[in-house]
Amino acid sequence: MIVGGGGHGLGTAYYLAAEHGLTNIAVVEKGWIGGGNTGRNTTIIRSNYLFDESIAIYEHALKLWEGLSQALNYNVMYSPRGVMMLAHSVHDTQMLKRIMHADRANGVDNEWLTPEEAKAYCPPLEIGTHLRYPVLGATLQRRGGTARHDAVAWGYARAADALGVDILENCEVTGIRRGAGGAVEALETTRGLIRTPRVGVVAAGNSSVVMGLAGVRLPLESFPLQALVSEPVKPVFPCVVMSNAIHAYISQSDKGELVIGAGTDAYNSYTQRGALHVDLHTLEAICELFPAFRRLRMLRNWGGIVDVTVDRSPIVGKTPVPGLYLNCGWGTGGFKATPGSAHVFAWTMAKDEPHPYAAPFSLERFRDGAMIDEAAAAGVSH
Amino acid sequence: MLLIPCPYCGERPEIEFSYSGQAHLVRPPRPAELSDEAWSEYLYVRDNPRGRHAERWRHLRGCGRFFNAIRDTTTDRIAVTYRMGEPPP
Amino acid sequence: MSAFRTASGGRVDRARRLRFTFDGRAWEGLAGDTLASALLANGVHLVGRSFKYHRPRGILTAGAEEPNALVTVRRDAARETPNLKATQVELYDGLVAESQNRWPSLGFDVGRVNDLLSPLFPAGFYYKTFMWPRSAWARLYEPVIRRAAGLGRAPEAPDPDRYAQRHAHCDVLVVGAGPAGIAAARAAADAGACVILCDEQSEPGGALLDGAPAQIDGLAAGDWLARAVAALAADPKVRMLARTTAFGYFPHNHLGLVERCTDHIAAPAADSVRERLWQVRAREVVLAAGAIEQPLVFPGNDRPGVMLAGAARSYLKRYGVRAGTRAVLVTATDAAYQAALDLHAAGVAIAAIADLRPAAAGVWVEAARRAGIEVLAGAAIGGTRGGRRVSGVTISGRTIACDLVLMSGGYAPSVHLFSQSRGRLTWSDSMRCFVPSQSAERERSAGACRGVYGLAAALADGAAAGLAAARACGFTGIERGYAVAGESATHQAPGATPPAVADRGKAFVDFQNDVTIRDLVLAAQEGFRSIEHVKRYTTVGMATDQGKTSNLNALGLVAARLGKPVPDVGHTTFRMPYTPVTFGALAGAARGELFDPVRTTPMHEVAVARGAVFEDVGQWKRARYFPRAGEDMHAAVARECLAVRNACGVFDASTLGKIAVVGPDAAEFLNRLYVNDFAGLGVGRCRYGVLLREDGFVYDDGVIARLAADRFHVTTTTGGAARVLAMMEDYRQTEWPGLAVWLTSTTEQWAVIAVQGPLARRVIEPLAAGIDLAPSALPHMAVAHGRIAGAPAMLFRVSFTGELGYEINVPAARGVAVWEAVCAAGRAHGITPYGTETMHVLRAEKGYIIVGQETDGTAVPDDVGLAWAIGRKKPDFVGKRSIERAGIRRAGRKQLVGLRTRDPKIVLEEGAQLADRPGIPAPMKPVGHVTSSYASAVLGHSIALAMIAGGRARIGQTLFVRVPGGDVEAKVTIPVFYDPEGARLHA
């Protein structure tokens, strides 16, 4: 049983069926498939992380992205148009170069651009000294890009369905029943009891709630995260640009909308909405870097619930409850990991041992202090 | 933007405050006596409930004081705020 | 005057003619026109092309809900605004507008071929095609699709216009200034409430602007409106905001409004504000947002000349424009009959009224027949004919020639803001639409936006809502009614189930996104059951009108297809903004210097005058180096470094965070926080403090001085000042409230002038009064009070360079004077100002870490060689338990070491990765990375600091730094390159 019908959950079901020969698989989803963060993110795909452990799992995902449309026979519109990350200070430069070198050692493409090269790659970008924080350089991962978020959920669902996976929508888990030895026995749902010896919880923002049903408390908090799009315009933005220092994340969809990621609100919430000042902060940064976009207009804004760990890295693996597996904590960056996360989680569930790429992301790392602190790389300034 | 009733200053907009996570977590008085598991639970594990949440705020750009609030995480409605040291109502 | 303009009537100013161009052709309109009404007045109906099929499109509506008539308005090269709705663009003299999404011209559009190929492009077609070969999506197909998509062009030049933002509080915010909103504002203000009344249109009035044949309180409706508006405008408790859209409803009655200030003006003043964002916090909100007429879905319902009935009436009554000469009304409700009768009275031939209801009858049908209009009850619409303009409509098999088709599927309450506030909607079977039921905020809806139609009812409902809102704020008011006479017997305007149609031709549900009935059917066939899935798969309701004229029809169609009642299918979530909001208004004045505050030190201008190059460190501007003529950074830094090593340098260290920790328990407080022992620190002495997070990782560092038994001066890193103080306050207030200690940020109170180098004492000595500089009196890590250059000073003998050094702290206002005095006194000794870059080199030569450069949130003290700082006897401090975890004490952690490249000239790149063998192909697992790297002028070779797994055990070994084009050989050393014994420090 997989709890959670987002991309990660549906993908897990698909890989369990496609690669591990499991047959009796079901996905339960309390709403509609792909209706959570899968359908609410800004679709950025990249693997240019800082720590070796992160690079491995995100690069695993990126390699799967490259062939996903063909594997699923469904066009997920993976578009490697390049992800550029901007440096605005000496400290940013040091950190981004460290990421670049770490990526290259790990066999992941990443290169340094001068400000002028960055502008050439993304013409709307302003780099000059009239900016409060001029652009001092940028890294570019050319294989990074975007994909169509809904298509990922639908593609995995279709492919899993074709392999006999049952997908139950509007089916909320209300209890996790455990046997005398503590192991998982069954799921109680709004559509009845489902007996199962193996449960994978892939519930993103709701992970704490679902795992609480099994008596497992998590090092996790759920926050609102917003995104917004502009009205569609003709192609004007050829790549993905991220500035962690001033909080600007932007690309253009195939439909022509500028897709802009905003920040998280400060407090735990499950409301799937955020505050106006968070959007204002984001648009200040967008308008500072791309002053020609000031006259464009925000068309639609929405919110998701992101499940965040203290080191901004996920939790993927076994839990103290036999038969219960957990995949959560992807925070603000889960979409890009979808195929990799699903793939290693299926492996972990099928073999009852952590996939090598998943092993560093265990729950035990919190006990041991073996943090994979990508928050440092995300420009938490020092 | 939430409107938060500071127990000292009254209602103020959220941008005057900083959020400080789950309330009523008490630092163990003798950490050395805790196992690694118990200590990491104190460090990292949080309730993260859907619904009623006891949480800490600080009126950073006001009186500067920390206080607790009970807020519903499914509606963002604040039921009550109260001073540090007071028991949750 | 054109043939389509009536001789009189309406709210346009017939004396003020305005010139404008559309697609380069010159036209004329009147003051008070919108671009849409002016085009219609000139007989122009073809104004746009649709998104996917590039079908010719006209003007469907007269308001914010317009899906078709999108234009770009261009003032100049930098002021070009795409995707504006012509129905909302107010005409001004000289307006230049262009149609969009067509090539080469609106009349002849090559993209039109998509319409003919449309069997290839059903909803979601792109998910199932364009996949092979693997690289083709990104290289071949996607660029083509992207070029075809999009609407207008984005501007290319930076927007020079100004945007402003305001915050406002009020007792009652009323959204919408139609009859209900005006009555609500009046009632609330009369009760004593402070009111804001906003409306998206150019003037208040709402439906009254379209002319109502009724009298209110004995006045003609128009006169009543003028009087009511004047009274509100004169009321000091009421703020009226025209051209102001309430676009977002956020928690706790926080609403976002955007006011368009100059887009309707021909030549705005250069310094005027184009748009203003209002953030309103209201105690109570009254939503009086009105209702939106819904189209009917039938083949060819998108042809130019097919228009909502209410819109045609609005063009006639408000703008004095006949939208055609011969019209057919297609309706499913009574509400549209008024439009047909009004147009008929204005000389537009009404060829027929096709009423889809089998049993159409009643006063409206009779009135139409009395007027000589043929009414076809139970009519079936076969479709429309025509090219760029409708030329006929087929009804029940008969084709009727016309140049205007009016349609009405009833009205849908505008519940957008209510839904945004998380109020619960309920389906009304009688009205066939969603209406507000349960509020989530302190809010109430009034009038048409909750399904209360008709002038008398809206006024009464608004007045009641306004009074109730005021009472909820604690005001007392009395009820007051409005006497309405002569109101036509308007029936409630039900929404309509879109009629089933023959599956031929294109019957559009979402005009802008070209979503047809067939697409919705296909989505249902594909297994999409949730309305959210249907929306995402077909893109229905996702265009720039956000489904204002399509969501309800789509829902009805999907429900019918699935055989479910509409409420069981549900509705998609209403999200902000109600209508699109300009980025600039949301970003406001935040650009350039105003993007983020600039913090400068007291001596900033001195550094500017000396030609310093600055770097951004957080919000601070810090002098990075002081180049002399012809010097690059490398040369300047080398010179500055040698000056400090050989003579004396002066450095502005004012940005360091400073916290006064005061109270009887100050020492105990710091003891519990920092790893070091502070209980034993004597008055007048300093200690290098290391602060961990509770999870054991290095958080900050700095020198802490004990100024008195109960007073400490704590310094932090520049970037850490605020967060260290916040952390201290957290522990002080919440963990240890029993400690008597107080914290004050003093960062900006002190100017800090570091004087460093072997001659430092000689520079300062003549300036110091009341301070004994002798090494025995003021040894390394000591502090003394006195005067420096006449200013009251704290003089620290501390060093971040490894040289004899002092940090002079004087009141910020004295900083420049003391700096100048130090420079003057040091001139004879070769004193040299140096910047942060030199500071970094000097500290790296000594192996002093920078938190955030050597550490990255995963380093414990021992990793960076700071285990010595830990007070061994302390039972506890923040982070102690964490660094004792088994997992942390495991071998193989990264440790701080030095690196010497074999080639002394090679300066490694910071962040470069290390391997223990040369030439390992990627992917490989690096053993560590370079954290700091510089050319050391005093040593004559490059130096680097690095974090390396098991690094201290590797000292003496050779490692290989991976750089493009090969590996650089480097030897692992201790992380101190200069004066390892520290003799110079203690000079």
Side-chain angles (χ1 to χ4, degrees):
Chain A
M1 293 292 311
I2 304 296
V3 180
H8 293 238
L10 293 165
T12 303
Y14 166 75
Y15 290 116
L16 279 171
E19 299 201 352
H20 300 285
L22 271 67
T23 48
N24 198 1
I25 305 169
V27 179
V28 289
E29 162 58 47
K30 80 181 169 92
W32 33 282
I33 61 166
N37 294 344
T38 298
R40 294 166 186 271
N41 66 86
T42 55
T43 79
I44 296 172
I45 293 171
R46 61 186 179 89
S47 62
N48 55 348
Y49 275 73
L50 172 60
F51 290 100
D52 298 340
E53 299 86 347
S54 310
I55 297 168
I57 197 164
Y58 287 104
E59 176 63 13
H60 184 53
L62 184 46
K63 290 214 173 87
L64 288 169
W65 276 116
E66 288 172 334
L68 197 58
S69 295
Q70 292 71 32
L72 301 179
N73 191 28
Y74 203 77
N75 191 353
V76 300
M77 302 180 210
Y78 162 64
S79 172
R81 62 184 72 165
V83 171
M84 206 159 77
M85 302 180 86
L86 305 180
H88 301 274
S89 68
V90 174
H91 180 265
D92 285 355
T93 305
Q94 289 166 337
M95 184 51 82
L96 285 176
K97 284 196 171 174
R98 180 177 162 199
I99 291 171
M100 175 186 75
H101 286 295
D103 289 348
R104 286 180 174 179
N106 280 280
V108 170
D109 77 300
N110 200 342
E111 62 198 89
W112 186 255
L113 303 184
T114 64
E116 293 72 27
E117 289 167 340
K119 170 121 183 118
Y121 197 75
C122 181
L125 176 69
E126 287 289 316
I127 55 174
T129 50
H130 57 283
L131 298 183
R132 174 67 180 83
Y133 296 109
V135 175
L136 303 185
T139 58
L140 173 64
Q141 184 180 24
R142 291 182 189 270
R143 290 160 62 236
T146 57
R148 170 84 184 122
H149 52 14
D150 291 329
V152 178
W154 301 340
Y156 273 126
R158 259 174 47 137
D161 179 68
L163 294 169
V165 172
D166 290 315
I167 298 169
L168 304 169
E169 290 183 287
N170 300 310
C171 180
E172 182 171 356
V173 174
T174 54
I176 297 176
R177 204 172 280 183
R178 296 169 61 179
V184 169
E185 273 188 355
L187 288 182
E188 296 162 14
T189 77
T190 50
R191 294 174 66 173
L193 186 76
I194 306 171
R195 298 206 169 275
T196 174
R198 247 184 289 188
V199 172
V201 174
V202 201
N206 289 298
S207 297
S208 295
V209 176
V210 175
M211 292 298 286
L213 299 173
V216 179
R217 298 179 72 228
L218 296 178
L220 205 62
E221 292 186 279
S222 297
F223 295 98
L225 176 69
Q226 296 182 77
L228 59 98
V229 293
S230 74
E231 294 181 298
V233 286
K234 293 291 177 197
V236 65
F237 205 83
C239 57
V240 178
V241 170
M242 305 175 64
S243 166
N244 286 323
I246 64 169
H247 306 133
Y249 313 92
I250 177 171
S251 63
Q252 188 174 20
S253 73
D254 284 338
K255 206 181 156 194
E257 297 160 332
L258 294 177
V259 182
I260 294 166
T264 50
D265 277 80
Y267 47 84
N268 305 43
S269 179
Y270 290 87
T271 56
Q272 295 192 323
R273 68 170 170 182
L276 177 59
H277 64 93
V278 176
D279 297 311
L280 303 189
H281 181 71
T282 294
L283 287 169
E284 286 170 6
I286 294 295
C287 290
E288 170 79 344
L289 288 176
F290 309 100
F293 292 167
R294 282 176 172 267
R295 289 183 105 80
L296 297 185
R297 303 192 295 176
M298 173 170 70
L299 173 62
R300 191 170 61 250
N301 163 290
W302 64 93
I305 313 164
V306 294
D307 42 323
V308 178
T309 62
V310 70
D311 63 356
R312 302 297 189 273
S313 284
I315 302 167
V316 185
K318 301 170 72 168
T319 73
V321 178
L324 185 62
Y325 304 83
L326 177 62
N327 185 349
C328 69
W330 292 94
T332 60
F335 178 74
K336 67 176 82 69
T338 305
S341 154
H343 189 258
V344 301
F345 192 52
W347 198 98
T348 301
M349 285 186 71
K351 300 190 189 301
D352 192 34
E353 66 179 71
H355 184 283
Y357 291 153
F361 298 97
S362 67
L363 268 174
E364 288 76 30
R365 82 170 184 276
F366 296 93
R367 179 197 63 204
D368 295 341
M371 315 313 271
I372 303 161
D373 193 356
E374 292 290 338
V380 178
S381 62
H382 287 276
Chain B
M1 196 197 304
L2 306 182
L3 190 64
I4 300 174
C6 170
Y8 303 95
C9 307
E11 289 188 333
R12 294 288 189 278
E14 182 194 329
I15 46 170
E16 293 186 12
F17 297 84
S18 59
Y19 179 75
S20 303
Q22 187 176 330
H24 305 299
L25 288 169
V26 179
R27 188 173 190 269
R30 281 173 294 282
E33 295 170 8
L34 266 56
S35 67
D36 282 3
E37 284 79 7
W39 178 249
S40 74
E41 171 135 348
Y42 162 69
L43 284 181
Y44 301 122
V45 172
R46 297 295 177 263
D47 289 343
N48 200 26
R50 256 189 109 89
R52 188 184 145 96
H53 189 231
E55 61 196 22
R56 308 187 314 151
W57 289 85
R58 183 180 175 215
H59 195 187
L60 179 66
R61 294 170 184 88
C63 64
R65 286 199 254 196
F66 281 84
F67 60 90
N68 293 324
I70 305 285
R71 184 178 51 92
D72 188 320
T73 61
T74 63
T75 63
D76 291 337
R77 243 174 253 142
I78 296 171
V80 64
T81 56
Y82 52 102
R83 298 177 182 204
M84 279 291 151
E86 292 176 359
Chain C
M1 194 65 56
S2 87
F4 299 98
R5 187 77 74 175
T6 58
S8 63
R11 303 183 76 85
V12 287
D13 182 350
R14 285 159 200 276
R16 283 179 57 211
R17 298 181 170 204
L18 307 176
R19 293 155 302 143
F20 71 101
T21 69
F22 179 64
D23 283 346
R25 187 159 167 200
W27 302 98
E28 212 175 72
L30 297 176
D33 263 329
T34 62
L35 176 60
S37 69
L39 286 168
L40 291 172
N42 288 289
V44 177
H45 278 251
L46 172 64
V47 290
R49 291 271 172 181
S50 68
F51 191 84
K52 191 157 78 179
Y53 302 132
H54 287 244
R55 284 169 67 101
R57 289 286 163 80
I59 294 162
L60 181 71
T61 75
E65 65 272 30
E66 177 61 36
N68 283 336
L70 302 185
V71 297
T72 297
V73 172
R74 182 186 167 91
R75 282 190 192 271
D76 56 46
R79 291 181 175 86
E80 190 174 297
T81 314
N83 300 342
L84 295 175
K85 297 170 175 84
T87 51
Q88 288 187 298
V89 172
E90 292 179 52
L91 204 64
Y92 55 78
D93 197 47
L95 182 132
V96 176
E98 281 169 24
S99 62
Q100 300 181 160
N101 222 27
R102 80 290 190 264
W103 185 85
S105 72
L106 185 56
F108 178 78
D109 180 293
V110 172
R112 183 69 205 273
V113 71
N114 285 356
D115 193 13
L116 307 174
L117 295 175
S118 63
L120 295 175
F121 299 121
F125 70 97
Y126 24 70
Y127 299 122
K128 293 173 220 152
T129 46
F130 304 137
M131 281 178 280
W132 309 95
R134 183 162 149 161
S135 62
W137 168 253
R139 278 215 319 258
L140 248 53
Y141 303 126
E142 189 183 36
V144 174
I145 287 176
R146 282 167 73 89
R147 266 199 300 283
L151 295 170
R153 274 173 300 135
E156 284 175 9
D159 181 1
D161 279 340
R162 291 182 60 210
Y163 299 88
Q165 299 185 336
R166 285 191 67 167
H167 293 261
H169 294 259
C170 63
D171 295 316
V172 181
L173 169 67
V174 181
V175 176
I182 287 174
R186 185 70 273 155
D190 284 348
C194 159
V195 175
I196 295 178
L197 172 62
C198 71
D199 191 283
E200 66 180 354
Q201 302 220 38
S202 58
E203 55 177 327
L208 291 175
L209 300 174
D210 295 340
Q215 292 88 43
I216 306 170
D217 291 347
L219 294 171
D223 295 338
W224 177 87
L225 173 63
R227 234 184 247 198
V229 168
L232 287 170
D235 189 330
K237 291 190 298 298
V238 179
R239 183 195 290 279
M240 294 184 74
L241 296 169
R243 300 186 177 90
T244 302
T245 305
F247 65 86
Y249 200 138
F250 304 92
H252 301 183
N253 265 5
H254 181 236
L255 284 93
L257 281 49
V258 68
E259 180 184 8
R260 291 168 295 279
C261 308
T262 57
D263 272 8
H264 61 291
I265 297 173
D271 60 348
S272 57
V273 167
R274 179 173 176 239
E275 294 188 15
R276 179 179 292 114
L277 173 72
W278 291 82
Q279 295 191 58
V280 178
R281 182 82 67 176
R283 294 171 73 189
E284 298 287 328
V285 172
V286 175
L287 298 175
I292 296 171
E293 193 169 18
Q294 299 296 301
L296 290 166
V297 184
F298 55 84
N301 62 343
D302 66 323
R303 243 180 258 292
V306 180
M307 184 181 283
L308 290 174
R313 184 169 174 278
S314 183
Y315 287 118
L316 178 69
K317 305 294 281 187
R318 180 170 176 183
Y319 302 101
V321 173
R322 286 181 289 260
T325 57
R326 184 178 161 85
V328 172
L329 168 66
V330 187
T331 182
T333 77
D334 284 352
Y337 277 71
Q338 181 78 55
L341 290 171
D342 284 342
L343 263 70
H344 175 75
V348 177
I350 305 296
I353 294 178
D355 197 318
L356 306 182
R357 296 170 296 182
V363 291
W364 287 102
V365 174
E366 284 157 25
R369 288 194 171 131
R370 265 200 311 279
I373 301 171
E374 184 182 13
V375 179
L376 306 165
I381 319 171
T384 63
R385 297 184 171 195
R388 294 176 209 160
R389 174 85 184 261
V390 69
S391 64
V393 55
T394 307
I395 294 178
S396 304
R398 167 183 149 202
T399 297
I400 304 171
C402 62
D403 62 358
L404 179 66
V405 174
L406 311 178
M407 63 176 165
S408 178
Y411 281 76
S414 184
V415 294
H416 302 73
L417 289 174
F418 173 80
S419 178
Q420 280 186 35
S421 78
R422 297 293 166 101
R424 198 173 302 150
L425 295 170
T426 185
W427 175 255
S428 162
D429 268 328
S430 62
M431 290 188 281
R432 302 204 55 78
C433 60
F434 286 100
V435 291
S437 67
Q438 198 183 327
S439 291
E441 296 280 350
R442 292 174 59 128
E443 156 280 333
R444 40 189 63 68
S445 295
C449 73
R450 71 179 191 103
V452 173
Y453 294 102
L455 181 55
L459 286 166
D461 203 38
L467 181 59
R471 285 179 174 166
C473 296
F475 297 97
T476 50
I478 49 162
E479 285 177 35
R480 175 177 173 284
Y482 294 89
V484 177
E487 185 179 8
S488 38
T490 305
H491 294 223
Q492 285 206 325
T497 310
V501 293
D503 194 12
R504 63 187 164 73
K506 287 198 181 70
F508 285 87
V509 180
D510 185 317
F511 293 87
Q512 193 184 114
N513 272 357
D514 277 343
V515 180
T516 63
I517 289 187
R518 207 176 294 166
D519 294 318
L520 295 174
V521 168
L522 180 69
Q525 277 168 2
E526 295 264 323
F528 292 101
R529 290 288 180 275
S530 156
I531 190 65
E532 287 282 359
H533 278 155
V534 171
K535 166 182 144 184
R536 285 152 178 271
Y537 193 68
T538 64
T539 72
V540 70
M542 296 183 79
T544 64
D545 56 299
Q546 290 286 286
K548 292 184 180 66
T549 55
S550 59
N551 280 341
L552 201 58
N553 279 332
L555 196 55
L557 285 159
V558 170
R561 184 78 199 177
L562 297 177
K564 288 183 180 178
V566 171
D568 287 7
V569 179
H571 54 82
T572 57
T573 317
F574 289 86
R575 301 197 174 281
M576 79 109 170
Y578 171 66
T579 50
V581 181
T582 306
F583 283 177
L586 298 170
R591 68 168 94 178
E593 284 225 324
L594 297 181
F595 176 73
D596 204 24
V598 178
R599 298 178 77 183
T600 55
T601 71
M603 287 83 81
H604 182 76
E605 292 306 323
V606 177
V608 171
R610 291 204 64 143
V613 174
F614 290 86
E615 66 165 324
D616 290 304
V617 180
Q619 293 174 329
W620 290 101
K621 292 281 181 195
R622 300 196 75 181
R624 193 175 184 193
Y625 56 97
F626 293 81
R628 290 182 182 166
E631 279 183 344
D632 60 7
M633 182 171 88
H634 180 77
V637 169
R639 172 180 51 73
E640 292 172 13
C641 283
L642 289 173
V644 176
R645 291 277 177 240
N646 297 327
C648 185
V650 59
F651 174 72
D652 182 353
S654 305
T655 64
L656 284 184
K658 297 173 265 304
I659 302 167
V661 179
V662 179
D665 294 323
E668 172 63 18
F669 179 71
L670 291 175
N671 236 16
R672 293 186 190 184
L673 274 176
Y674 280 76
V675 306
N676 320 66
D677 176 25
F678 284 99
L681 184 66
V683 172
R685 290 291 182 269
C686 307
R687 187 157 287 169
Y688 170 72
V690 177
L691 181 66
L692 310 183
R693 303 189 305 212
E694 194 68 275
D695 63 3
F697 301 116
V698 175
Y699 194 53
D700 203 73
D701 66 353
V703 170
I704 297 176
R706 189 165 203 168
L707 304 178
D710 63 349
R711 177 175 290 266
F712 289 81
H713 177 88
V714 174
T715 64
T716 73
T717 58
T718 296
R723 62 169 183 259
V724 169
L725 181 59
M727 176 177 167
M728 286 183 171
E729 280 290 353
D730 194 342
Y731 279 93
R732 186 187 75 84
Q733 293 186 36
T734 71
E735 293 293 348
W736 310 316
L739 291 185
V741 61
W742 292 268
L743 309 171
T744 309
S745 168
T746 56
T747 301
E748 313 218 337
Q749 269 58 53
W750 299 103
V752 181
I753 300 160
V755 184
Q756 303 274 315
L759 304 182
R761 187 180 293 118
R762 272 192 248 171
V763 173
I764 293 178
E765 229 154 19
L767 302 173
I771 304 174
D772 184 354
L773 289 181
S776 55
L778 192 66
H780 180 56
M781 297 305 265
V783 60
H785 288 266
R787 286 186 177 270
I788 302 286
M794 289 192 295
L795 184 66
F796 293 84
R797 183 165 167 200
V798 291
S799 171
F800 200 43
T801 60
E803 299 297 330
L804 167 66
Y806 300 89
E807 288 185 3
I808 305 167
N809 282 238
V810 293
R814 309 292 287 269
V816 170
V818 175
W819 175 277
E820 302 284 14
V822 167
C823 289
R827 200 159 293 137
H829 306 290
I831 197 165
T832 301
Y834 67 95
T836 51
E837 191 66 22
T838 293
M839 178 267 283
H840 277 124
V841 178
L842 297 170
R843 64 92 201 171
E845 288 170 346
K846 290 289 295 178
Y848 299 149
I849 67 158
I850 299 265
V851 173
Q853 187 163 346
E854 272 63 44
T855 68
D856 59 12
T858 62
V860 297
D862 183 59
D863 297 343
V864 283
L866 295 177
W868 60 265
I870 296 172
R872 294 290 158 202
K873 291 185 212 126
K874 296 206 298 180
D876 190 17
F877 55 81
V878 170
K880 178 176 168 66
R881 178 64 188 83
S882 290
I883 60 177
E884 289 167 353
R885 284 179 284 179
I888 294 287
R889 288 188 306 209
R890 220 165 271 158
R893 293 185 65 82
K894 281 189 176 182
Q895 293 171 328
L896 181 71
V897 292
L899 286 180
R900 289 276 311 272
T901 51
R902 183 169 165 160
D903 177 346
K905 288 193 291 298
I906 294 179
V907 179
L908 296 169
E909 189 157 73
E910 288 162 353
Q913 303 288 306
L914 294 145
D916 39 20
R917 284 179 293 119
I920 311 176
M924 53 79 69
K925 190 168 161 46
V927 299
H929 68 278
V930 176
T931 60
S932 297
S933 174
Y934 307 97
S936 169
V938 72
L939 296 169
H941 60 75
S942 70
I943 58 166
L945 297 173
M947 291 294 289
I948 294 175
R952 288 198 282 270
R954 292 180 190 258
I955 288 171
Q957 294 178 9
T958 296
L959 291 178
F960 298 87
V961 186
R962 298 172 65 86
V963 297
D967 295 318
V968 173
E969 211 175 312
K971 184 166 274 187
V972 182
T973 68
I974 60 164
V976 185
F977 301 95
Y978 187 71
D979 185 29
E981 302 78 26
R984 304 175 69 88
L985 204 56
H986 295 280

